[in-house]
Amino acid sequence: MVDMAKLLAQRGATVTIVTTPVNAKRFKSVVDRAIEAKLEIRVVELQLALAEAGLPDGCESMDLLPTSAHVINFITAMNLLEKPAEKMLRSLFPPPSCIISDAGFPWTYKLAQKFDIPRLVFYGPGCFAFLCVHVVTNTDVLDEIESDSEYFVLPGLPDRIEITKPQAATWGRGETKETTEMFNQTQEADKYSFGIVVNSFEELEPKYVEAFAKAKGKKVWCIGPVSMCNKSIQDIADRGNKAEINEHDCTKWLDAMEPRSVVYVCLGSLNEVSTEQAIELALGLELSNTPFIWFLRRTTDKFEKWMLEEGYEKRIKDRGLMVRGWAPQILILSHPAIGGFVTHCGWNSTLEGISAGIPMVTWPHFADQFLNERFVIDVLKIGVRIGAEVPTLFTERDQFKSEMMIKREGIRIAVESLMRDDEEGEARRKRAKEFGELAKRAMEEGDQPPKPTSEPPMASTDLHFVLFPLMAQGHLIPMVDMAKLLAQRGATVTIVTTPVNASRFKSVIDRAIKANLKIQVRKIQLALAEVGLPEGCENFDLLPTTAHAINMFLAIKLLAEPAEKMFRDLCPPPSCIISDGGFPWTLDLAKKYDIPRLVFYGPGCFAFLCIHIVTSTDILDEVESNSEYFVLPGLPDRIEVTKPQASTWGRGDTKETTEMFDRMQEAEKASFGIVVNSFEELEPEYVEAFSKAKGKKVWCVGPVSTCNKSVEDVADRGNTSAINGHDCTKWLDEMEPRSVVYVCLGSLNEASTEQAIELGLGLESSNTPFIWCVRRKTDDFEKWMLEEGYEERIKGRGMIVRGWAPQILILSHPAIGGFVTHCGWNSTLEGISAGIPLVTWPHFADQFLNERFVIDVLKIGVKIGSEVPILFSERDQFKSELTIKREDIKIAVESLMSEEEEGVARRKRAKEFGELAKIAMEEGGSSQVNMTLMIQAITAELTKNGEPNLKVVGIPYHIVVKYSLSHIGGKNIKLEVNVII
């Protein structure tokens, strides 16, 4: 229901969730983030009359009841909510338009009648189970069955479904007088409801959706799987409750396992597993010799004692992980290592397993679970039965009955059967995977009039893109993201890089391949010894000194020959090269194979238009002083820079780098077009001017970082983080919204000990909570921190991360209110996409130009006062005159976080640009459309060249995409894209 609330709010509706304090606390962090994202969701808490119903304080959820027999008391307490709910409803503003009520609150239909608004009823299970329940409760079929063990065919269903009387009767008829009355009231309320909302999707059970709607005589809306509305790491991890294990430890354990080798075991939040059954399950899993991750929702002292005495956890240490408490289930099921799911067949878990494309071992206990088992086994055919025959009464779930126990041998056989690689197992996995793909498509944007689809039918599946990313994180990361975006369109993508760089994004590519994306990595070796570099120095951030950059460029130049050899062996044959500008020789490859070459540069269009002006005119020759600010001519805005700030990129600071830039420009002139990690709404005038200046088509396809949807891909982006995401978010969760400044000065910047100390003291004196990523640390700095007790002093409000940081994860957290950045384009765009204002601290290359863009064009930043660029080849040479002092750091941070009018206006603009970034990458957004147009342009070019392996289907297609936002960043923007093909 919380997921549904978010889906409704995403459509612009105001949503009120009515629940009790304990339950509200469980999803507080999820709702807080939704509110922070400007979704109109609120929570109203009502107090259950626990004492009056005979329940102890705090028992506000079924899983908190002292015994299962207390369900009767809980139903009484739920019925007593009617009066306080009516009082609450009268006070709501705006007035309610519709009630969506769980069936367990039949009295809400009276409220709907009283307020003259529709009531929709929401049931937990899918249409199959509820059609079965309808048949059982509206016919005499059970009265005709005498035996409790005899299987009979349920009449009136599209498939032949055999079931026993107890399995059919545990839901919808009640086990006691009180539960029977409740079910009767529920059915009566159904008759007066406007319609039924189901967490399922029509492709999963089409015949049952239709039959259920017909049987009920009402409209049935399948709007699931609703769990897929959770896109952020935090929402996925916190869904339902706080997990007992952090997602980093969980994924780290799974990362060590082979794909599809692990079985996940979780028997739900309400099932009471006896000590005897838990022991049998443990031994059955051990006997199966299958790696497993087992979540015990509840455990007993007796079971813990058995495990200790038997040394069980020690025995299974290398292939079994046991977690006591709540599990981050979607996170686990989405991991490539998971190959099977032992489930209790509660509908939520069943649907999550289906959505993840995972086959199941079915182990139902009570209620609708036996019906869901039949659906998985007989209809979908994606499961293996464990052998549970007799349902537990809901009110007797904590009473052990030895005759209902599943023995270890039965568990072993079921798990082995599920994970087997024989024909039957492969067919089951194939079907499960297909249903998983259907689930994803069901929740994607459909062919709705308000949002026209941005992708016409096209032969992108016949294209093979070969990507050459430069060996620097700021270039490598967006190129890997772009590879995923292309592969998501059905293209084959090959990333060409070196072994060390390949290892940095291996886990991301492995998951993409697991998701059936056609991505491959081809490794070629740099001639390190030949150019005077030590072994392993395959990235600019691994060089012994910054002066060795020259050697690295020589090594890159020598890659031309092995790259051509590799190119010849590629299958299917390449259709297009997307090359970083640092590989000018890829133009020769493109010419040799008669295919288009697209050039990819790190920065956005603003910076490259500035560079184009500097390198194509004599403007710098007219400026004598290195400290004098002058206006760059030919730009849409007045941009003032100094001569050194304008010339650290595109001209080179040595003979070798100057020659390299000249070759890059020559190669660019002969290239088919330019791909940019930006979006048109961010810099519309500069996209147009840059394209005009280059005389080429420019496709803005970003922010490409938003292609990372899974928890693991966001956390692993670029490299393995030095801190796990859970510890990071846990620390940030304690902070107030928009109160923390995030500090990260990039992967290539060398901060001296002196500068690091000034930064530390400046942050401390600002009295602003901060999280500081120290990419490289020196022994002198560590010694200073220890002697000064710095970390102890800032403990309550400062966090220091040494090494690689999960930057997108941090920036997307509601606690982050500002970002101190070096103005590398990746970081700048990630800050913009997160809607965060920036403190700008540029060092070299394009960073000073990006600062001007942030400050003068977007007006979402505060300058820290860095004036003189560092030469790229001298980044590790300390110059005291370039040090930014603690006081300047303090002033910049305080100014950025200020609540004064200027600070509020800056935050408002930043947030608006963040929203535009999301829209650009959505279906029908400008970057989505540009990706489509780029693919079509390549297709057309190949057809013109007579590409033999390409099938082109000519289909008329019309897109009209409009964005209109007033007064963003100090200027009116209206972007209209009309594409007629």
Side-chain angles (χ1 to χ4, degrees):
M1 286 282 261
V2 174
D3 289 339
M4 198 193 308
K6 288 169 65 180
L7 287 167
L8 288 165
Q10 284 164 7
R11 299 297 182 101
T14 298
V15 184
T16 300
I17 303 171
V18 183
T19 190
T20 68
V22 167
N23 290 292
K25 188 179 177 182
R26 289 183 171 185
F27 56 80
K28 182 180 184 300
S29 61
V30 172
V31 171
D32 284 349
R33 283 190 289 273
I35 293 168
E36 180 68 21
K38 288 298 174 200
L39 296 186
E40 295 288 335
I41 299 182
R42 56 189 165 185
V43 179
V44 175
E45 297 175 9
L46 298 181
Q47 190 63 61
L48 285 167
L50 296 172
E52 193 175 335
L55 287 170
D57 192 32
C59 284
E60 298 177 20
S61 177
M62 293 273 191
D63 62 3
L64 296 172
L65 299 179
T67 69
S68 53
H70 280 86
V71 167
I72 310 301
N73 310 64
F74 198 75
I75 292 169
T76 303
M78 285 165 61
N79 286 333
L80 292 172
L81 282 176
E82 183 177 354
K83 283 188 180 177
E86 182 179 345
K87 186 180 177 184
M88 173 275 303
L89 218 59
R90 291 189 187 284
S91 66
L92 288 180
F93 186 84
S97 313
C98 176
I99 291 172
I100 302 180
S101 172
D102 193 284
F105 298 101
W107 45 263
T108 54
Y109 93 89
K110 298 176 194 171
L111 286 182
Q113 288 180 338
K114 206 169 268 187
F115 287 84
D116 195 24
I117 56 177
R119 177 207 192 234
L120 300 177
V121 64
F122 172 79
Y123 282 114
C127 292
F128 170 88
F130 264 108
L131 183 59
C132 294
V133 170
H134 179 82
V135 170
V136 167
T137 54
N138 288 276
T139 68
D140 298 326
V141 64
L142 293 193
D143 298 335
E144 300 165 11
I145 309 297
E146 295 180 4
S147 167
D148 277 354
S149 58
E150 176 193 342
Y151 276 81
F152 68 96
V153 177
L154 264 180
L157 299 180
D159 297 284
R160 180 181 174 87
I161 303 298
E162 294 188 7
I163 201 162
T164 67
K165 188 174 182 176
Q167 290 170 7
T170 57
W171 187 262
R173 285 209 165 194
E175 308 156 356
T176 65
K177 179 190 169 190
E178 291 85 356
T179 53
T180 301
E181 282 178 5
M182 186 198 73
F183 278 120
N184 290 339
Q185 289 164 5
T186 294
Q187 288 197 56
E188 196 59 30
D190 272 5
K191 294 174 185 175
Y192 297 98
S193 294
F194 181 68
I196 299 166
V197 185
V198 182
N199 182 22
S200 184
F201 57 103
E202 294 194 1
E203 297 88 338
L204 183 69
E205 43 178 351
K207 295 181 286 188
Y208 292 94
V209 176
E210 185 180 350
F212 181 49
K214 191 175 179 181
K216 285 289 187 181
K218 292 192 178 295
K219 178 63 187 170
V220 173
W221 290 281
C222 291
I223 60 165
V226 295
S227 62
M228 288 187 171
C229 77
N230 298 287
K231 305 297 185 188
S232 78
I233 295 169
Q234 298 103 318
D235 286 355
I236 292 170
D238 292 350
R239 187 171 178 263
N241 211 337
K242 285 281 183 185
E244 295 296 320
I245 184 172
N246 73 58
E247 64 268 22
H248 180 269
D249 292 345
C250 209
T251 54
K252 188 179 177 184
W253 187 86
L254 287 166
D255 284 344
M257 299 296 165
E258 292 294 315
R260 298 202 319 269
S261 67
V262 179
V263 68
Y264 166 56
V265 184
C266 185
L267 299 179
S269 58
L270 291 177
N271 290 330
E272 304 282 348
V273 178
S274 67
T275 298
E276 293 83 353
Q277 182 61 86
I279 291 170
E280 289 296 313
L281 174 52
L283 293 172
L285 290 171
E286 185 179 19
L287 283 169
S288 74
N289 284 318
T290 301
F292 63 89
I293 180 166
W294 176 14
F295 274 82
L296 295 90
R297 183 69 187 87
R298 289 178 177 85
T299 184
T300 64
D301 293 341
K302 194 174 172 185
F303 179 62
E304 293 294 331
K305 185 184 176 188
W306 173 83
M307 288 224 292
L308 194 63
E309 289 175 351
E310 293 290 319
Y312 180 78
E313 285 189 272
K314 198 171 183 180
R315 293 203 314 251
I316 56 104
K317 189 176 73 171
D318 292 334
R319 64 175 185 86
L321 178 66
M322 298 181 70
V323 184
R324 293 139 177 96
W326 193 266
Q329 185 156 290
I330 294 177
L331 176 68
I332 294 166
L333 287 170
S334 65
H335 196 283
I338 297 297
F341 179 15
V342 178
T343 175
H344 64 302
C345 298
W347 183 245
N348 264 9
S349 288
T350 302
L351 190 58
E352 285 162 17
I354 290 166
S355 302
I358 305 294
M360 300 170 223
V361 166
T362 58
W363 189 344
H365 289 66
F366 60 86
D368 59 306
Q369 294 170 12
F370 281 86
L371 300 173
N372 295 332
E373 176 184 56
R374 297 265 58 96
F375 181 61
V376 169
I377 301 293
D378 299 332
V379 180
L380 304 184
K381 297 180 172 61
I382 59 168
V384 172
R385 290 186 68 217
I386 207 161
E389 296 287 346
V390 184
T392 312
L393 292 179
F394 190 77
T395 52
E396 296 177 5
R397 287 168 297 124
D398 48 6
Q399 297 175 29
F400 171 60
K401 295 178 181 178
S402 59
E403 69 274 12
M404 296 165 68
M405 188 187 295
I406 303 296
K407 302 292 185 182
R408 65 192 75 170
E409 190 58 24
I411 294 163
R412 178 189 73 79
I413 291 169
V415 169
E416 287 179 349
S417 175
L418 187 79
M419 305 298 280
R420 199 173 291 138
D421 280 327
D422 59 10
E423 189 178 342
E424 187 181 356
E426 285 299 325
R428 190 163 42 233
R429 273 190 288 277
K430 184 173 182 287
R431 282 191 297 272
K433 189 175 182 182
E434 287 168 350
F435 283 118
E437 288 163 358
L438 286 174
K440 291 180 182 69
R441 284 205 288 271
M443 290 299 284
E444 288 172 357
E445 196 69 42
D447 299 326
Q448 300 174 5
K451 281 203 173 184
T453 184
S454 68
E455 288 189 60
M458 58 166 34
S460 58
T461 52
D462 298 306
L463 295 176
H464 181 181
F465 290 89
V466 182
L467 275 56
F468 288 86
L470 190 70
M471 295 80 166
Q473 294 299 81
H475 298 247
L476 193 65
I477 294 170
M479 285 281 262
V480 172
D481 289 340
M482 199 191 307
K484 288 169 65 179
L485 287 167
L486 288 164
Q488 284 164 9
R489 299 296 185 101
T492 298
V493 184
T494 299
I495 303 170
V496 183
T497 191
T498 69
V500 168
N501 290 291
S503 69
R504 291 187 173 186
F505 56 81
K506 182 182 184 299
S507 60
V508 172
I509 296 299
D510 285 348
R511 283 190 290 272
I513 293 167
K514 171 71 175 168
N516 273 351
L517 297 186
K518 294 184 285 186
I519 300 182
Q520 59 185 348
V521 178
R522 287 298 179 92
K523 301 169 192 173
I524 50 178
Q525 191 63 61
L526 286 165
L528 297 172
E530 195 172 332
V531 298
L533 285 173
E535 189 180 353
C537 285
E538 298 177 19
N539 191 295
F540 281 93
D541 63 10
L542 295 172
L543 298 178
T545 70
T546 54
H548 281 87
I550 308 300
N551 309 63
M552 177 63 95
F553 282 121
L554 286 172
I556 289 169
K557 189 178 177 182
L558 293 173
L559 283 177
E561 193 175 321
E564 184 181 347
K565 186 179 177 185
M566 173 276 302
F567 214 71
R568 285 199 297 267
D569 298 333
L570 288 178
C571 184
S575 313
C576 176
I577 290 172
I578 302 181
S579 172
D580 196 286
F583 297 98
W585 47 261
T586 54
L587 177 66
D588 298 329
L589 266 183
K591 284 180 175 178
K592 191 170 281 188
Y593 287 86
D594 196 21
I595 58 175
R597 176 201 191 242
L598 300 177
V599 63
F600 172 81
Y601 284 115
C605 293
F606 169 88
F608 264 108
L609 182 57
C610 296
I611 290 164
H612 177 80
I613 290 166
V614 167
T615 55
S616 301
T617 69
D618 299 326
I619 181 68
L620 293 192
D621 298 335
E622 299 166 14
V623 180
E624 293 180 5
S625 168
N626 278 343
S627 58
E628 174 194 342
Y629 275 81
F630 67 96
V631 177
L632 268 177
L635 297 177
D637 297 282
R638 182 181 174 86
I639 304 298
E640 295 186 7
V641 289
T642 68
K643 188 173 182 177
Q645 290 170 7
S647 60
T648 58
W649 185 265
R651 285 208 166 196
D653 43 47
T654 66
K655 179 191 170 191
E656 291 85 356
T657 54
T658 301
E659 284 177 1
M660 184 197 72
F661 279 121
D662 289 343
R663 288 196 301 271
M664 284 167 59
Q665 287 194 55
E666 280 305 305
E668 185 192 273
K669 287 175 187 175
S671 293
F672 183 68
I674 299 168
V675 187
V676 182
N677 181 22
S678 183
F679 56 103
E680 294 195 357
E681 298 85 341
L682 183 68
E683 43 179 351
E685 295 165 300
Y686 291 95
V687 176
E688 186 180 351
F690 180 50
S691 179
K692 191 175 179 182
K694 289 291 184 182
K696 292 191 178 297
K697 179 60 190 169
V698 172
W699 291 283
C700 291
V701 298
V704 295
S705 61
T706 59
C707 77
N708 298 287
K709 306 297 184 187
S710 77
V711 177
E712 300 97 330
D713 285 355
V714 174
D716 292 349
R717 188 171 177 262
N719 212 335
T720 303
S721 296
I723 184 173
N724 72 58
H726 183 270
D727 291 345
C728 211
T729 53
K730 189 178 176 184
W731 186 86
L732 286 166
D733 285 343
E734 300 298 317
M735 300 296 165
E736 292 294 315
R738 298 200 314 274
S739 67
V740 180
V741 68
Y742 168 57
V743 184
C744 184
L745 299 179
S747 59
L748 291 177
N749 290 328
E750 304 280 349
S752 65
T753 299
E754 292 82 357
Q755 183 62 85
I757 291 170
E758 289 296 313
L759 175 51
L761 294 172
L763 291 171
E764 184 180 21
S765 63
S766 74
N767 284 318
T768 301
F770 63 88
I771 182 164
W772 176 16
C773 171
V774 182
R775 182 71 185 86
R776 286 182 174 84
K777 58 186 186 295
T778 64
D779 292 339
D780 286 345
F781 178 60
E782 291 293 329
K783 183 183 175 187
W784 174 82
M785 287 223 291
L786 194 63
E787 289 174 352
E788 292 290 321
Y790 179 77
E791 285 188 272
E792 190 61 34
R793 294 204 313 254
I794 54 109
K795 193 167 76 172
R797 63 176 184 86
M799 182 185 213
I800 296 177
V801 180
R802 294 161 173 84
W804 193 261
Q807 184 155 291
I808 294 178
L809 175 67
I810 293 167
L811 287 171
S812 64
H813 197 283
I816 298 296
F819 178 15
V820 179
T821 175
H822 65 302
C823 299
W825 183 244
N826 263 7
S827 288
T828 302
L829 190 58
E830 285 162 17
I832 290 166
S833 302
I836 305 294
L838 317 175
V839 166
T840 58
W841 189 343
H843 290 66
F844 62 87
D846 60 306
Q847 295 168 12
F848 282 87
L849 299 174
N850 295 333
E851 176 184 57
R852 297 266 56 94
F853 182 61
V854 168
I855 301 292
D856 299 332
V857 181
L858 304 184
K859 296 180 171 62
I860 60 167
V862 172
K863 280 186 71 185
I864 207 162
S866 178
E867 296 288 342
V868 183
I870 304 161
L871 292 179
F872 186 80
S873 55
E874 296 176 5
R875 288 169 297 126
D876 50 4
Q877 296 176 30
F878 172 59
K879 295 178 180 179
S880 60
E881 68 273 14
L882 299 181
T883 301
I884 303 295
K885 302 298 182 187
R886 68 193 74 171
E887 187 60 27
D888 294 324
I889 294 163
K890 171 183 177 293
I891 290 168
V893 169
E894 288 178 347
S895 174
L896 188 80
M897 305 297 278
S898 165
E899 293 294 336
E900 293 176 2
E901 188 178 347
E902 188 180 356
V904 171
R906 189 162 44 234
R907 274 191 290 278
K908 183 173 182 288
R909 282 192 297 270
K911 189 172 184 184
E912 287 168 345
F913 283 118
E915 288 164 359
L916 286 174
K918 291 180 180 71
I919 291 168
M921 289 298 284
E922 288 173 358
E923 199 70 40
S926 63
S927 292
Q928 282 274 315
V929 171
N930 276 335
M931 181 68 85
T932 297
L933 296 176
M934 184 186 84
I935 290 170
Q936 289 176 337
I938 296 299
T939 302
E941 183 68 11
L942 290 168
T943 309
K944 188 172 74 177
N945 294 347
E947 175 71 12
N949 294 324
L950 194 65
K951 306 177 190 74
V952 180
V953 183
I955 297 177
Y957 181 63
H958 183 202
I959 309 168
V960 180
V961 186
K962 294 186 180 181
Y963 302 96
S964 181
L965 280 165
S966 61
H967 209 70
I968 301 288
K971 56 182 70 179
N972 294 311
I973 294 177
K974 185 175 181 182
L975 175 66
E976 180 171 321
V977 181
N978 293 276
V979 185
I980 301 175
I981 299 167

